[in-house]
Amino acid sequence: MIARLFPLWAILFSIFAYFMPAPLAALSDWIVPLLMVIMFGMGLTLTWEDFLRVFRAPGVIGLGVVLQYLVMPLAALLVAKVLALPTEVMVGLVIVGACPGGTASNVICYLARADVALSIAMTAVSTLVAVLATPALVWLYLGETLPVPVAAMLLSLVKIVLLPVVGGTLINSLLRARLDRVRDAFPLISVAAIVLVIGIIVALNQSRIASGGALVMLAVVLHNSIGLAAGYGVARLFRFDPRRARTLAIEVGMQNSGLGVALAVKHFTAMAALPGALFSVWHNLSGAVLAWYWRRQEESAEAVQAGEDARGNVR
């Protein structure tokens, strides 16, 4: 029951973090270890075959990465133009749109019962592509040059995602039968960890949220929603199964907003960092709601199937 109410805890904890930011802001160093714990839990649910299956279908990864770099920066520019955002805010929104996927998308895919191996592969590929795609897209839409710290990004990806996931997968492969109780506990641990991460992010960005204004928040919500809808819609158009469609939706709609904030602050202004800061809060909350909804759908489908199987056995 606690895990099923994931969005409620995320929203309530975000409210607490907004009004009492100091205790949670002091835990900023916990974000990376908490994400690593979640990734390790993911690894305990995966096998090497999951990754082999994904890399046997490189077109799916390619489609997701193309959608991410095609939809998100263009959507950012269009939303900024329609809402007549100030130039600095438009710059920040486009930078976020031109960033690769982040580790939060892997967590949300795990909680949403999407294709975690595919999510990790897409995040890795989009991060590699970012060395060319992110500065090229920023230059295309804004006419500005922007160096991207791809080596540091890849190092973070290895540290936060790949090593914990590989470690969990290895242990799962060696001790699969003995891990049932531990494996069943990890969704609850993951929910607690990501709720705490969301709270810390809200606390760290409390002043930006307070000064951001409703219009910038609306832009961020629209930007994220367009990405989620485009990823899911195109995946279903290509007749992908629901798990892969969820994965593409999450990967396209959720960006490495932390990178967006860092690039905006370093190369532009503090105001340009505002969309990235708000995006980092919002995409975790919208992802939490989607993960809850899709997980409920999956569990309902499993319950129906179990009932049909039981009736078939009785007959």
Side-chain angles (χ1 to χ4, degrees):
M1 177 60 74
I2 294 175
R4 289 178 182 175
L5 295 176
F6 172 35
L8 177 62
W9 306 133
I11 292 167
L12 290 177
F13 213 64
S14 296
I15 294 170
F16 170 78
Y18 180 82
F19 288 104
M20 297 187 67
L24 288 170
L27 303 179
S28 59
D29 292 341
W30 287 30
I31 292 177
V32 168
L34 286 168
L35 288 174
M36 292 174 71
V37 167
I38 298 168
M39 297 298 167
F40 179 76
M42 285 184 200
L44 292 178
T45 69
L46 297 171
T47 65
W48 303 123
E49 181 58 33
D50 291 320
F51 290 99
L52 290 174
R53 173 181 48 78
V54 165
F55 285 106
R56 288 191 195 110
V60 181
I61 300 173
L63 176 63
V65 173
V66 168
L67 278 175
Q68 184 171 43
Y69 284 118
L70 183 67
V71 170
M72 293 305 280
L74 181 58
L77 186 66
L78 292 176
V79 167
K81 294 290 188 183
V82 169
L83 296 180
L85 295 177
T87 301
E88 289 177 306
V89 177
M90 179 183 72
V91 167
L93 199 63
V94 170
I95 290 173
V96 171
C99 284
T103 54
S105 63
N106 307 141
V107 178
I108 296 301
C109 280
Y110 171 55
L111 296 172
R113 290 193 173 182
D115 192 329
V116 175
L118 176 60
S119 174
I120 292 170
M122 282 183 58
T123 299
V125 172
S126 70
T127 301
L128 286 168
V129 172
V131 67
L132 297 175
T134 299
L137 288 166
V138 170
W139 174 81
L140 176 66
Y141 290 117
L142 301 176
E144 299 281 354
T145 57
L146 188 67
V148 177
V150 72
M153 288 160 54
L154 288 173
L155 184 62
S156 295
L157 186 68
V158 169
K159 177 182 174 183
I160 298 172
V161 178
L162 293 183
L163 288 180
V165 168
V166 168
T169 304
L170 179 62
I171 291 172
N172 186 40
S173 301
L174 296 174
L175 305 170
R176 188 173 183 82
R178 302 178 186 177
L179 291 175
D180 288 341
R181 290 183 181 179
V182 176
R183 193 182 297 108
D184 291 342
F186 255 92
L188 180 59
I189 295 171
S190 296
V191 165
I194 194 61
V195 166
L196 182 54
V197 168
I198 292 170
I200 294 169
I201 291 170
V202 172
L204 291 172
N205 290 286
Q206 193 269 351
S207 60
R208 290 193 177 107
I209 296 170
S211 63
L215 194 61
V216 181
M217 193 69 215
L218 175 61
V220 166
V221 171
L222 289 174
H223 187 208
N224 174 239
S225 300
I226 290 169
L228 293 169
Y232 192 86
V234 172
R236 295 303 281 164
L237 191 66
F238 276 79
R239 298 187 177 181
F240 291 166
D241 63 77
R243 288 184 72 234
R244 283 189 168 181
R246 294 174 204 160
T247 308
L248 260 69
I250 292 166
E251 285 296 323
V252 174
M254 296 185 70
Q255 302 292 89
N256 188 337
S257 48
L259 174 66
V261 170
L263 292 174
V265 167
K266 184 173 182 179
H267 300 288
F268 296 95
T269 64
M271 181 58 73
L274 181 59
L278 295 180
F279 199 99
S280 68
V281 175
W282 173 254
H283 79 165
N284 280 294
L285 291 174
S286 66
V289 173
L290 272 179
W292 168 81
Y293 174 72
W294 279 327
R295 194 178 186 90
R296 285 287 301 272
Q297 275 193 324
E298 189 93 356
E299 289 171 349
S300 297
E302 288 174 356
V304 170
Q305 185 61 49
E308 290 176 354
D309 291 344
R311 285 194 293 272
N313 291 333
V314 168
R315 290 174 191 156

